[in-house]
Amino acid sequence: MFSLQSAMLSTTERILHQCTAATTVRARSTVSSIEVPGPKCYPLIGCLPSMITDKDFDKECVYRYFMKLFKLYGPIVKVKFPGQPTMVLVNKPEDAEKVFQLTMNNPVRVTMEALRKGRYINPYYEKKAGIVTENGEEWWRVRSKVQVPVLKPKNVINYLKDMDQVTLDFLDRLSKLRNSEGEVTVDLKEELTKWSLENVCLVALNRRVGCFDPNLSPGSQPEVIIKAAQDFMKAIKECETGSKLWKIFPTKTFKQLQLSMQKLTETCETTVQEMETIMREKETADPNCQLNMVEQLIREPGLTQKDVVTFMVDLLPGGTETASDNAAVILYLLAKNPRVQARLQEELDHVLGDGSEVISQNQLAQLSYTKAVFKESNRLMPPMFGPVRILQEDVELGGYTLQKGWLVFLMNALSGWDEAQFPRHSEFIPERWLRHRPLGQIHPCAIIPFSHGTRMCVGRRIAEQELYVLVARTLHRFNLEWKHGDLERAYKFVFSPKGPLKFTFNERK
């Protein structure tokens, strides 16, 4: 997703009202002549004047500004920010679905410019930036090869036993980090990052790296991987949402991105070489031996070793950050909603029994309320605003003509807060996702935290599995409490929890 904060400062209702006349024009105009409504746009500076005088604007809560726009102009709004192409904000799931349909054959999105540049100037990558940031033929060349092994349920299930053990080890560690009242004495966000990275390393590196070791020495492999993954995501956020001076000269943050990417690349390249040696031995002993996910990628015709390394490098920090943030939100909402927590525990007690056995595929399939909790958490506190598409041709949407080259920003997060889409939208009600849909039908594009179609997050099944296991094991063992104020989240590329997270974990009796 591209930067909005670099162009946004604030807005004012006075200027927003300047375009209300467009609503009247829309009612009596033909489809082809209707101007997409939005705040007044000026040459060079675009909609900037409509933002810089808004006393309520907060760059970390930019969604409030978007909500104002939708309230004033309707579900499709045009905006223009300095240095950015014209952008159309879309709020209705029905319109999002149509955009996906219209762009399904060539889903082009805004690239991570800093990551792209970092790889293009690094000879190792040979002018190939990977599926996270490429578009067109190069993106599809790799995406078409990796999606089957990575999204195949059987391949993901093969990691279930190890992911279960990672979570059990994580909870054992937390139990030792509590005070006499059961409150965890460290920032849970940091611990969740270690939990998530340990899970991702099971897939990307085919091994555990020891993130929970309390005595990690500086320079040890786990410490290097942890720091590199964290620095990588931090640098990406800063480069994509900051001043972008890195385009002119190598800033400190851009150098941090290059350094962390280099360390991850070296780690993944060494791993691939080791796995190739092991595979040759396995295949010599048994030509029909089962290969793990990364081994299948290595053997995939049309993928080079560097393609696999690039994919692994993206998976390590990307999968870590999104899963840990998502986990924090789910645990917070459960801690704040004792009724939901109790119902979830009823399901877990029934399915897991005493919890002494490894969680099985069959048990995971029975956790319908657990999965509903996951969906409702992503509705109420979504990980990001939603997908972006760059139009490759003119399209008709909602009675307007959207032009080739425009950005269409599918504001999926705001759909989740719309009473018309979700009755009692401010309440945490996982039951709304159960099969009988007690609060009404839900549009399939109303909540899509992993995007949709061929540009859907390729690590979706991995992330879902590790989060289901975390919720199941945590709530089966503990009662959660949150004794502080409301959890705040900042928006910088994605939504991330602010401040230290202090939960109370009390053993269930």
Side-chain angles (χ1 to χ4, degrees), residues 3-256:
S3 167
L4 294 173
Q5 295 170 335
S6 61
M8 295 179 181
L9 299 176
S10 52
T11 187
T12 174
E13 292 186 7
R14 176 184 61 80
I15 294 183
L16 288 175
H17 280 296
Q18 291 179 1
C19 286
T20 54
T23 310
T24 304
V25 173
R26 178 174 58 189
R28 62 173 182 262
S29 300
T30 62
V31 170
S32 61
S33 63
I34 297 176
E35 176 71 16
V36 182
K40 189 175 179 63
C41 183
Y42 298 90
L44 299 179
I45 59 175
C47 299
L48 198 57
S50 72
M51 295 180 287
I52 60 176
T53 53
D54 183 357
K55 61 182 178 61
D56 298 322
F57 184 80
D58 181 348
K59 66 181 181 179
E60 292 188 346
C61 299
V62 67
Y63 62 86
R64 295 173 184 164
Y65 172 68
F66 293 140
M67 293 174 76
K68 280 187 179 181
L69 296 184
F70 286 129
K71 185 175 181 180
L72 286 167
Y73 302 115
I76 301 177
V77 181
K78 185 176 75 172
V79 293
K80 180 74 169 68
F81 302 118
Q84 300 285 353
T86 296
M87 179 167 61
V88 175
L89 312 177
V90 174
N91 190 35
K92 291 175 62 177
E94 295 82 1
D95 291 333
E97 182 179 34
K98 186 172 183 181
V99 171
F100 284 132
Q101 292 172 345
L102 292 169
T103 60
M104 64 183 297
N105 293 327
N106 188 17
V108 178
R109 68 182 186 187
V110 178
T111 66
M112 294 184 185
E113 296 178 293
L115 179 58
R116 184 186 180 102
K117 179 177 179 180
R119 286 186 172 149
Y120 274 32
I121 63 177
N122 186 331
Y124 175 86
Y125 288 95
E126 300 176 346
K127 302 292 184 181
K128 296 180 176 65
I131 61 173
V132 171
T133 194
E134 291 283 11
N135 286 304
E137 292 183 3
E138 174 56 24
W139 161 75
W140 182 243
R141 179 186 70 82
V142 180
R143 172 71 192 218
S144 63
K145 303 295 184 181
V146 304
Q147 62 185 8
V148 173
V150 178
L151 290 171
K152 185 184 296 184
K154 180 181 178 182
N155 282 346
V156 178
I157 286 294
N158 285 337
Y159 296 98
L160 179 56
K161 178 180 178 180
D162 289 332
M163 286 184 174
D164 191 24
Q165 188 59 55
V166 166
T167 299
L168 291 173
D169 292 346
F170 166 72
L171 295 177
D172 285 343
R173 173 174 166 78
L174 281 190
S175 69
K176 299 173 183 177
L177 297 173
R178 297 176 296 165
N179 61 24
S180 59
E181 296 181 350
E183 185 172 72
V184 175
T185 57
V186 297
D187 186 353
L188 189 64
K189 178 64 168 63
E190 295 182 5
E191 297 304 310
L192 286 170
T193 298
K194 296 175 183 177
W195 160 82
S196 182
L197 181 58
E198 191 78 7
N199 274 312
V200 172
C201 286
L202 287 174
V203 179
L205 305 181
N206 197 38
R207 66 179 183 274
R208 293 190 56 170
V209 295
C211 293
F212 303 141
D213 186 345
N215 301 310
L216 287 179
S217 59
S220 64
Q221 186 185 52
E223 193 272 341
V224 169
I225 295 174
I226 293 169
K227 186 175 188 307
Q230 292 175 331
D231 288 349
F232 183 94
M233 285 305 298
K234 181 179 179 181
I236 286 288
K237 290 179 181 180
E238 293 296 329
C239 286
E240 299 296 338
T241 61
S243 63
K244 299 197 175 184
L245 291 176
W246 54 267
K247 290 186 175 182
I248 303 173
F249 64 92
T251 62
K252 179 180 179 181
T253 303
F254 185 74
K255 290 179 180 179
Q256 176 179 299

Side-chain angles (χ1 to χ4, degrees), residues 238-440:
E238 293 296 329
C239 286
E240 299 296 338
T241 61
S243 63
K244 299 197 175 184
L245 291 176
W246 54 267
K247 290 186 175 182
I248 303 173
F249 64 92
T251 62
K252 179 180 179 181
T253 303
F254 185 74
K255 290 179 180 179
Q256 176 179 299
L257 172 61
Q258 289 179 295
L259 178 60
S260 59
M261 184 168 63
Q262 184 62 34
K263 289 182 178 179
L264 292 175
T265 300
E266 292 170 356
T267 298
C268 292
E269 186 177 32
T270 299
T271 298
V272 168
Q273 292 171 352
E274 292 172 349
M275 292 176 72
E276 284 187 320
T277 300
I278 294 172
M279 272 195 301
R280 284 194 294 269
E281 296 174 354
K282 287 167 55 177
E283 290 170 334
T284 298
D286 179 8
N288 298 315
C289 64
Q290 183 178 2
L291 302 180
N292 64 42
M293 188 181 296
V294 175
E295 288 173 337
Q296 291 176 39
L297 293 177
I298 294 172
R299 285 288 182 261
E300 183 68 33
L303 287 182
T304 67
Q305 183 187 95
K306 291 182 179 180
D307 289 331
V308 178
V309 169
T310 304
F311 176 74
M312 293 164 65
V313 170
D314 287 340
L315 185 62
L316 281 169
T320 299
E321 184 86 2
T322 53
S324 60
D325 286 349
N326 210 328
V329 164
I330 295 172
L331 297 181
Y332 165 76
L333 290 171
L334 285 169
K336 291 277 287 185
N337 292 271
R339 180 197 68 81
V340 175
Q341 185 173 164
R343 177 163 181 180
L344 173 64
Q345 288 171 331
E346 288 180 8
E347 175 180 83
L348 295 173
D349 291 343
H350 174 71
V351 175
L352 301 184
D354 63 4
S356 60
E357 301 294 328
V358 174
I359 293 180
S360 68
Q361 180 180 1
N362 181 56
Q363 288 175 320
L364 211 59
Q366 297 178 58
L367 299 180
S368 58
Y369 195 73
T370 303
K371 295 173 183 177
V373 166
F374 174 77
K375 291 179 181 178
E376 182 71 347
S377 298
N378 277 296
R379 179 194 70 81
L380 201 57
M381 301 186 77
M384 58 185 63
F385 280 123
V388 177
R389 293 290 181 266
I390 304 176
L391 297 180
Q392 302 304 294
E393 59 185 1
D394 292 355
V395 302
E396 297 293 330
L397 184 69
Y400 306 112
T401 299
L402 310 188
Q403 298 177 20
K404 176 181 179 180
W406 285 6
L407 306 182
V408 181
F409 199 170
L410 307 176
M411 305 294 288
N412 188 246
L414 303 191
S415 298
W417 304 332
D418 186 348
E419 185 72 20
Q421 299 292 334
F422 293 94
R424 300 167 62 185
H425 69 94
S426 62
E427 301 178 51
F428 186 58
I429 311 176
E431 287 82 357
R432 74 172 81 242
W433 295 96
L434 298 180
R435 183 172 297 180
H436 62 292
R437 293 290 193 264
L439 294 182

